[in-house]
Amino acid sequence: MSSITFIGAGNMARTIGTLAVAGGNTVEIMARDQVKAEVLAKTLGGGTTAGKWGAVPAGDIVITALLYAGVVPAVEQYGDALAGKTIVDISNPFNATFDGLAHSEETSIAQEVAKVAPASASVMKAFNTIFRNVLENGRPNVFFAGDNARAKADVAEFIESLRLRPLDVGGLKMAHWLEGMGVVTMGLAGNGVGHWDFALGVDEINS
Ligand SMILES: NC(=O)c1ccc[n+]([C@@H]2O[C@H](COP(=O)([O-])OP(=O)(O)OC[C@H]3O[C@@H](n4cnc5c(N)ncnc54)[C@H](OP(=O)(O)O)[C@@H]3O)[C@@H](O)[C@H]2O)c1
């Protein structure tokens, strides 16, 4: 089982945290508002602890469950406290009309995180293509990207502990396209699917 720290105490930290506790993982919550971290830790139960914002996370895997604009600044603020950690960015940097990305360049929040994280940290993108309500009620595929094989194996094991299917899409530069998949998911919710109770997945066709 894995040791996980969530930086952020919002909806995604609660949802993935609930699955993590049920999967037997060790969970810690850190938030800029210490009271919110403590309340969520208590809500999750199962020995979940609340750490102090900016301190060395207890978890080997650190999930930044923050609104996208806060992710790079938070990683910068943590600085060397994240040395050796696997940092998992789950954010969707949507533009104001939810039909494009907030950054116009071919980058991603995860790639920008890698520029400011300690050299010994491994950065990954995961979970961003799945609506929270689907994580709560379904068994969606979890796409992830990253450059470090060991970190990818650890995160895949964590995802399997949630009883979800991890799917490796390649190196960290693929995080940009995972963010694009987030945009596609929003487009489907507003158009062809018309609701939020679905997730993108992979159908393997056997001829
Ligand atoms: N909800 C979904 O269905 C979904 C699905 C896939 C991916 N995501 C991504 O997951 C991330 C979290 O989403 P969420 O639904 O959990 O959002 P949320 O419920 O609004 O929670 C956001 C968390 O981020 C913190 N935060 C926001 N700005 C911050 C900053 N500048 N510095 C430090 N902390 C900051 C908030 O702290 P305060 O309470 O103090 O404001 C809160 O703990 C987002 O990037 C989103 O794109 C969400």
Side-chain angles (χ1 to χ4, degrees), residues 8-13 32-33 36 53 65-68 70 90-92 127-128 130-132:
N11 290 317
M12 285 296 272
R32 61 182 174 183
D33 182 333
K36 288 184 181 174
W53 178 269
L66 306 172
L67 300 187
Y68 82 84
I90 66 169
S91 69
N92 276 311
F127 290 102
N128 72 296
I130 309 164
F131 295 127
R132 177 175 57 90

Side-chain angles (χ1 to χ4, degrees), residues 22-94:
N25 299 284
T26 304
V27 177
E28 178 188 50
I29 308 292
M30 290 174 154
R32 61 182 174 183
D33 182 333
Q34 185 65 23
V35 172
K36 288 184 181 174
E38 285 165 11
V39 167
L40 180 57
K42 199 172 172 196
T43 301
L44 294 180
T48 301
T49 55
K52 295 265 188 297
W53 178 269
V56 176
D60 297 325
I61 296 174
V62 178
I63 299 177
T64 55
L66 306 172
L67 300 187
Y68 82 84
V71 178
V72 170
V75 171
E76 276 179 317
Q77 204 180 337
Y78 269 75
D80 287 342
L82 295 174
K85 303 294 183 184
T86 294
I87 304 168
V88 181
D89 165 47
I90 66 169
S91 69
N92 276 311
F94 296 134

Side-chain angles (χ1 to χ4, degrees), residues 161-178:
S161 82
L162 310 181
R163 299 180 58 222
L164 306 176
R165 180 189 184 196
L167 281 171
D168 184 354
V169 302
L172 191 63
K173 67 180 183 182
M174 292 299 286
H176 175 73
W177 304 107
L178 286 182

Side-chain angles (χ1 to χ4, degrees), residues 173-187:
K173 67 180 183 182
M174 292 299 286
H176 175 73
W177 304 107
L178 286 182
E179 290 183 354
M181 283 174 68
V183 177
V184 169
T185 309
M186 291 297 284

